[in-house]
Amino acid sequence: MKRGRFITLEGLDGAGKSTSLEAVQGFLADRGVEVLVTREPGGTPFAEKVRGLLLDTREETVDPMAETLLLFAARAQHVGAVIEPALARGQWVVSDRFTDATRAYQGGGRGVDGQAIEALARLVHPGLEPDLTFYLDVPVDQARRRIGGGEPFGEGGEGPGEEGKAAHLDRFERERASFHERVRVAYRALARSAPRVRTVDARLPEDAVARRIVSMLGPFVEEYR
Ligand code: TMP
């Protein structure tokens, strides 16, 4: 049985990953590729519980290392119970985020030591990295408009009129623009250094981004089938 391929989508919140994820799933299914679509944090009942812990807004400030370890705890479960078995069965796995998100959000955004993140990655998923990653690159202000965060989370903080707008936003989406700028810088650096990462200009409308991704996927599918 030929091992499946592992594809991930990455980008800031509001980069428009969902439309592209559906397009990738449809494209692969049309070509007779058995595909499993999943996400992080999450992808198993236990890991989805951890997702709730990570995304729920709370009064208490969460220690960046506690956050990082929870992400890897969820990932250990996800890799062991879902990703590895699927790849071994020959299925292709398409995940909405994986460890690159930790590199960008916890490493870039929170300032967690990159070597610590790489050590955890080696411990939790030795030898496993995506075969192909699409990084949807979008400026922070555009991404924030898409999630309905607007501009108010600049360095000025949140005023009373802005709280209503923020009510639907999760703990990461509520972070200041400067946090998301650091996340973007880290993603772009990663995309430059890792050949498996393809950067897609996500300023375009979501369906145009999805078409671009699918066009890049075609040769990859032919090469590996
Ligand atoms: P999502 O909204 O794209 O499903 O992602 C949930 C949030 O979790 C998103 O704001 C990014 C954040 N996140 C991290 O900070 N580190 C990680 O390793 C992952 C997978 C997600």
Side-chain angles (χ1 to χ4, degrees):
M1 166 68 66
K2 203 170 169 188
R3 189 176 158 85
R5 297 275 122 193
F6 183 25
I7 300 173
T8 56
L9 268 75
E10 298 281 355
L12 294 179
D13 302 279
K17 283 184 285 104
S18 325
T19 309
S20 292
L21 200 71
E22 278 174 31
V24 168
Q25 181 176 19
F27 180 85
L28 291 174
D30 286 350
R31 272 145 199 83
V33 176
E34 256 203 78
V35 47
L36 185 147
V37 176
T38 187
R39 70 170 180 183
E40 289 214 344
T44 85
F46 173 77
E48 290 288 332
K49 292 258 187 218
V50 179
R51 178 187 176 91
L53 279 177
L54 284 159
L55 266 57
D56 286 352
T57 54
R58 54 190 76 243
E59 289 291 310
E60 186 181 359
T61 303
V62 178
D63 180 88
M65 186 52 81
E67 182 176 287
T68 303
L69 291 170
L70 271 182
L71 282 156
F72 273 107
R75 187 162 295 138
Q77 184 71 13
H78 190 208
V79 168
V82 174
I83 298 179
E84 274 296 353
L87 294 173
R89 282 195 300 270
Q91 282 184 302
W92 288 38
V93 174
V94 180
S95 185
D96 184 346
R97 302 192 187 280
F98 192 61
T99 298
D100 291 338
T102 312
R103 295 178 172 117
Y105 280 80
Q106 281 63 48
R110 305 267 193 238
V112 172
D113 176 42
Q115 288 187 4
I117 293 174
E118 295 314 320
L120 288 165
R122 282 194 299 275
L123 195 65
V124 168
H125 49 88
L128 178 72
E129 285 290 344
D131 298 295
L132 182 64
T133 297
F134 293 104
Y135 163 56
L136 280 62
D137 186 51
V138 67
V140 170
D141 55 352
Q142 187 176 346
R144 295 175 82 74
R145 277 197 297 277
R146 283 200 188 138
I147 59 172
E151 319 294 346
F153 307 96
E155 297 314 300
E158 298 167 32
E162 291 147 8
E163 265 167 28
K165 248 187 179 175
H168 65 289
L169 300 180
D170 67 38
R171 204 167 58 82
F172 291 99
E173 290 167 342
R174 283 175 184 231
E175 286 290 343
R176 293 160 172 251
S178 56
F179 172 84
H180 293 279
E181 291 290 357
R182 292 195 298 276
V183 173
R184 185 179 186 217
V185 167
Y187 265 135
R188 287 165 72 102
L190 183 71
R192 278 195 304 274
S193 68
R196 69 176 161 83
V197 183
R198 312 278 158 86
T199 301
V200 184
D201 184 349
R203 288 173 302 183
L204 302 167
E206 287 187 27
D207 53 344
V209 173
R211 278 198 301 277
R212 179 96 190 88
I213 286 180
V214 157
S215 76
M216 292 161 107
L217 195 55
F220 180 81
V221 175
E222 292 315 313
E223 190 182 332
Y224 281 104
R225 285 180 78 183

